[in-house]
Amino acid sequence: MKTVNIALPKGRLGEKVYELMKTAGYPCPELEAGGRKLIFENAEKCVRYFWVKPSDVAIYVERGAADIGVVGKDILLEYEPEVYELLDLNIGKCRMAVAGKASFRDSAVHTLRVATKFPNIAKTYYAGKCRDIDIIHLNGSIELAPILEMSDVIVDIVETGTTLRENNLEVLETIVPISARLICNISSMKFKAETVNTIRRSLEEQVRQGS
Ligand code: PRP
């Protein structure tokens, strides 16, 4: 059997995904030992895991360095990588939303200033509403932008809502629900179809049992 390379998003989501893979019959004891190592292999089970920065998972899978990986739907919508989306894992749930000050009232007279880490999602959303926007592309701490009056609103991930609450902001519109997805490289789907499909079916079964 050919080894399947799996890109796991570093952090809590990746650990959950590894637990699912372990239950599915693909454990890797060395990975559980922790430390700073990034690649782990279980040669007997023909799997090799990599810890990857969550926003980079789709790049590894698109370029074939990983055959499969797990990535938030937000990344798929933002970067539109050429990969197959195989399964909604029903974990890592949150939503993409427009947020701002509770007092904010939109007026079509002005171009809307939107701060975000997700310019493509924001552009597509407002294009659908025929609303002119000025994108302010930031890399983090997006909530600062409306507080400092640099933007009118933000387009960002909301999970628990704590960050918004603690900064006196609120959700104004929900754009789309987000969850973690299993993705696969286009040629791996052909050349490693058997193993990839076995993993997909097993994860699907666990998602079904968990829901
Ligand atoms: C994300 C997101 C929000 C926050 C939402 O930021 O951009 O700021 O999490 O989570 P909550 O609704 O549970 O509070 P992240 O932690 O990735 O940090 P960042 O500000 O560096 O982007």
Side-chain angles (χ1 to χ4, degrees), residues 40-109:
F40 304 91
E41 183 162 0
N42 182 338
E44 196 190 319
K45 292 285 176 183
C46 297
V47 285
R48 190 185 294 129
Y49 294 101
F50 320 138
W51 287 121
V52 169
K53 192 176 155 84
S55 51
D56 289 342
V57 167
I59 300 174
Y60 283 81
V61 174
E62 187 174 35
R63 289 183 171 264
D67 298 299
I68 58 173
V70 170
V71 68
K73 181 72 180 174
D74 50 326
I75 302 293
L76 298 181
L77 291 171
E78 181 60 29
Y79 299 103
E80 299 176 347
E82 287 192 27
V83 296
Y84 290 124
E85 187 183 323
L86 298 184
L87 182 65
D88 182 348
L89 292 169
N90 215 19
I91 53 176
K93 285 174 144 185
C94 51
R95 59 183 159 148
M96 187 64 66
V98 178
K101 292 181 184 165
S103 58
F104 174 72
R105 296 287 171 271
D106 195 5
S107 152
V109 180

Side-chain angles (χ1 to χ4, degrees), residues 117 139-143 156-164:
K117 275 189 282 194
N139 297 299
S141 301
I142 315 296
E143 293 79 5
D156 202 11
I157 295 281
V158 180
E159 193 180 352
T160 60
T162 309
T163 313
L164 290 181

